[in-house]
Amino acid sequence: MIRYYIRVSSIEQKTDRQLVAYKEADKVYIDKMSGANKDRPRLKEMLEELKENDIVVVKSLDRLSRSTKDLLDIVSEIENKKAILKVLDRNIDTSDAMGRFFLTILGAVAELELANIKQRREEGIAIAKENGIYKGRKVGSIELKGERLERFKKFYNLGMNKTDLAKEFEVPRCTVYRWIKVLQDRNEIN
């Protein structure tokens, strides 16, 4: 059986690019959450259902994991079940030693690049703070009251996506998620 695993980092992101990349799968598993977290429901389901001689396909390594350790753990679990991993964009196949070696190197490079991005971002923020440009993110507590609260609930109930809500209310998207959770806890929205 060919099992195609797809992951995007958030609910708003589309899976189209990955779905179009491979169409021979017998079963498709889609997670919409960060690859930094190995505890993903559809990934777990796929690994539990995996049988001998199955093939796990991913478009790219970072769809499987952002951490070299987690990546190697996942690959080990696949191999322990006597299944094979194929990575489309690098033409990697773990059925041979060279494929496994190449996979390990690429995983380490991907993790290094992620660490470099984080370091550059932190350095940029520190410089901006020194120059008085960066004052931190906008306050995002549940400051919705009166007309603004009613407008938010209306837009949310009409199906406006989180990115557009964040732009409309001039707050970070994480604030929109926090507002939604608070309003759901209060039973003011579904």
Side-chain angles (χ1 to χ4, degrees):
M1 179 175 239
I2 300 173
R3 302 173 187 274
Y4 189 29
Y5 180 73
I6 293 174
R7 184 191 62 77
V8 290
S9 297
S10 69
I11 293 169
E12 288 83 22
Q13 290 182 323
K14 304 226 181 293
T15 57
D16 300 352
R17 182 180 64 85
Q18 293 177 68
L19 283 169
V20 169
Y22 191 76
K23 296 183 180 174
E24 288 89 51
D26 297 309
K27 187 162 183 184
V28 176
Y29 303 81
I30 300 174
D31 275 319
K32 292 192 169 193
M33 58 194 308
S34 172
N37 180 359
K38 191 174 126 182
D39 191 29
R40 290 172 260 147
R42 301 294 283 156
L43 175 63
K44 277 184 167 180
E45 178 185 343
M46 182 193 66
L47 292 171
E48 286 170 6
E49 293 177 356
L50 208 53
K51 308 257 185 290
E52 187 173 341
N53 297 321
D54 281 356
I55 300 170
V56 174
V57 177
V58 292
K59 174 140 182 21
S60 59
L61 277 180
D62 64 342
R63 300 302 86 202
L64 199 54
S65 180
R66 292 280 190 182
S67 153
T68 303
K69 181 190 179 311
D70 288 348
L71 176 67
L72 295 176
D73 288 346
I74 293 167
V75 171
S76 177
E77 194 166 341
I78 291 169
E79 289 178 340
N80 287 342
K81 294 200 172 187
K82 295 185 172 50
I84 295 168
L85 172 66
K86 291 190 178 192
V87 183
L88 299 176
D89 72 345
R90 298 288 182 227
N91 200 23
I92 297 173
D93 182 333
T94 62
S95 63
D96 64 26
M98 187 56 97
R100 287 189 299 278
F101 171 76
F102 194 55
L103 177 85
T104 304
I105 297 300
L106 284 177
V109 170
E111 187 173 349
L112 175 64
E113 180 57 22
L114 185 61
N116 286 337
I117 289 168
K118 285 180 180 178
Q119 181 180 353
R120 288 191 298 264
R121 182 179 60 232
E122 289 169 4
E123 289 170 355
I125 289 171
I127 291 168
K129 280 181 178 179
E130 282 179 20
N131 294 329
I133 297 169
Y134 183 83
K135 309 231 186 296
R137 65 185 181 106
K138 292 182 181 180
V139 177
S141 63
I142 191 77
E143 295 176 352
L144 290 176
K145 296 177 184 152
E147 184 273 328
R148 193 167 188 227
L149 171 61
E150 295 309 312
R151 204 171 92 229
F152 181 84
K153 290 193 294 190
K154 179 182 176 184
F155 288 160
Y156 176 80
N157 288 329
L158 288 171
M160 184 182 273
N161 70 43
K162 282 41 165 213
T163 300
D164 290 340
L165 284 168
K167 288 177 187 172
E168 176 68 27
F169 289 87
E170 299 178 341
V171 295
R173 221 171 54 190
C174 62
T175 297
V176 170
Y177 282 99
R178 198 166 42 251
W179 286 353
I180 290 168
K181 179 168 181 3
V182 169
L183 292 171
Q184 285 173 336
D185 290 347
R186 293 180 185 171
N187 292 318
E188 292 186 40
I189 59 174
N190 293 324

